[in-house]
Amino acid sequence: MEAVVEQARAGMPVLGICNGFQVLTESHLLPGAMLRNDRLRFVCRDQRLRVENADTAWTAEYRQGQEIRIPLKNIDGRYVADAYTLDELEAEGRVAFRYLARGEAADGYGNPNGSLNDIAGITNEAGNVVGLMPHPEHAVEPLTGTGRTDGLPFFTSILKKLADA
């Protein structure tokens, strides 16, 4: 992990999905922490999200405000941080993805795990490190999984970024 931290701080793109998001917080590449879901139950379902930041190495192929559906599978998915950190993330536009609030979600589910500010994913200041709880890798091929490709832009974003480098 020391090598990952060193390379991330040097600008290498890093994506942490689910427990990977937890590892990024524990290694201090991203602020905050992941706790047990507020309902103390494993959640496994397609989850509606809103793209809040489309300016990272991992999100550039999305549009800000775009609504997507990505599979979510976790029991330790509740993002928490102190009030100062939350204010900083919001003010700096570092919330990358947000669970749609209960009234906004067509399925009525809203925030599945009690994450503060409905945060599903965040980025570091440089935009090269992104952590999120849902699984975009399970929504990249229409013939498998959910039949949706809403997760594909994560990977086309980074490929384009690397090709342009």
Side-chain angles (χ1 to χ4, degrees), residues 12-15 56-61 127-128 152-164:
M12 179 181 78
V14 176
L15 177 63
T56 77
W58 296 97
T59 62
E61 294 291 303
N128 63 305
L152 191 57
F154 275 93
F155 307 103
T156 57
S157 293
I158 194 61
L159 290 174
K160 184 174 181 188
K161 170 86 173 166
L162 295 172
D164 293 345

Side-chain angles (χ1 to χ4, degrees), residues 46-47 49 51 58 61-63 66-71 97 135-157:
D46 282 356
Q47 179 64 49
L49 307 173
V51 178
W58 296 97
E61 294 291 303
Y62 289 107
R63 294 179 325 278
Q66 181 178 352
E67 293 183 12
I68 61 175
R69 189 178 302 221
I70 302 287
F97 296 91
H135 288 266
E137 77 280 13
H138 291 224
V140 296
E141 171 59 48
L143 296 177
T144 61
T146 64
R148 302 178 62 89
T149 60
D150 288 2
L152 191 57
F154 275 93
F155 307 103
T156 57
S157 293

Side-chain angles (χ1 to χ4, degrees), residues 1 19-34:
M1 203 50 213
N19 292 104
F21 187 7
Q22 184 174 6
V23 169
L24 293 177
T25 61
E26 291 174 0
S27 65
H28 304 288
L29 286 172
L30 293 173
M34 306 307 297

